[in-house]
Amino acid sequence: MRKIVGAREETRNVQSPEDLWRDTFRRYIRANPFLSFREVHRKTIQDFFKALGISEDVDGSIDAAFDEYRSSSAYPEVSAVLRDVEQEVPVAVVSNMDTTALLGALQRNGLTFTFIITSDEEQRYKPDPSLFQRAVRYLGLPAANVLHVGSSYAEDIVGASLTGMPALLMQRPGAPEEPRGEAQGTVHDLQQVNDFIRNSWKES
């Protein structure tokens, strides 16, 4: 979307393209009845193009977005930290991502998890607590003993807190600032999450 908008100097809107995309995307994520991840993208892209006066191939843009998801690369520390953590605790993924696209990205990066919970199977998106409750059931642990880490306050921190999970906000360098709210703290990479877990064990 940035490439498309950047190529058109005539696009003007009260909101920045990033804010417009985020607000529109979240509106469709919260739609009732449930919309598939692909359909959320379709409606968001259509509204985005209309608001900015852009005439572009919607289906082609959706395909390009999903190709980006599948081909995304994990941050450098992720693989080694996960191998270390998984020796002692189970690790699950709770994601709003399309299941097929997510599995493609994980396979490409050589990542595996104890469980993967997506909005597709639950027919709900974060922050709906049902996704987090499913993770608690799958892991067989009290919610208070499950740490959730996510990059969105609105989806991750709120959703985890509704289930009684402690949560850390992942704030990668250069990413837009998120409010901290009820998060247990803010971390900047997965190694800091590992350190947080081990320090928690020492304290208990």
Side-chain angles (χ1 to χ4, degrees):
M1 295 302 103
R2 286 195 187 97
K3 292 175 184 176
I4 291 171
V5 172
R8 291 163 172 79
E9 293 182 2
E10 73 277 9
T11 56
R12 296 289 184 269
N13 194 275
V14 175
Q15 287 180 293
S16 71
E18 290 80 6
D19 289 343
L20 175 62
W21 175 269
R22 184 191 64 245
D23 293 347
T24 308
F25 193 85
R26 283 181 174 169
R27 183 170 78 249
Y28 287 119
I29 281 283
R30 294 165 183 162
N32 189 11
F34 174 86
L35 298 172
S36 72
F37 199 62
R38 190 173 188 89
E39 190 60 21
V40 167
H41 277 71
R42 178 179 304 282
K43 291 182 175 295
T44 300
I45 291 171
Q46 287 172 338
D47 287 4
F48 186 85
F49 286 168
K50 182 178 179 180
L52 296 178
I54 293 173
S55 178
E56 191 76 25
D57 177 13
V58 172
D59 286 323
S61 297
I62 296 170
D63 290 342
F66 275 65
D67 286 344
E68 288 286 335
Y69 291 139
R70 283 188 288 268
S71 64
S72 59
S73 297
Y75 286 95
E77 85 281 1
V78 169
S79 182
V81 173
L82 284 177
R83 282 198 304 270
D84 185 31
V85 171
E86 288 181 319
Q87 292 179 25
E88 302 184 69
V89 297
V91 181
V93 172
V94 177
S95 178
N96 283 346
M97 177 63 66
D98 171 85
T99 303
T100 303
L102 175 61
L103 291 174
L106 294 178
Q107 183 178 25
R108 179 180 181 276
N109 287 278
L111 300 175
T112 59
F113 293 88
T114 306
F115 297 109
I116 295 173
I117 299 116
T118 68
S119 54
D120 279 354
E121 62 178 318
E122 193 63 32
Q123 295 287 283
R124 298 285 188 279
Y125 289 105
K126 297 183 294 183
D128 192 288
S130 64
L131 283 93
F132 299 90
Q133 290 163 352
R134 185 184 285 258
V136 168
R137 292 195 304 272
Y138 283 1
L139 293 169
L141 297 167
N145 291 359
V146 179
L147 176 67
H148 181 72
V149 182
S151 59
S152 167
Y153 176 81
E155 277 89 36
D156 293 299
I157 307 306
V158 170
S161 65
L162 289 172
T163 317
M165 288 182 187
L168 292 174
L169 183 65
M170 176 67 77
Q171 187 72 58
R172 292 278 179 180
E177 286 290 328
E178 288 273 345
R180 284 188 53 173
E182 298 299 319
Q184 300 292 309
T186 300
V187 291
H188 303 292
D189 58 47
L190 208 58
Q191 183 56 56
Q192 291 181 351
V193 177
N194 195 8
D195 295 341
F196 180 91
I197 293 169
R198 297 188 182 285
N199 288 335
S200 298
W201 288 344
K202 291 176 184 177
E203 292 170 4
S204 60

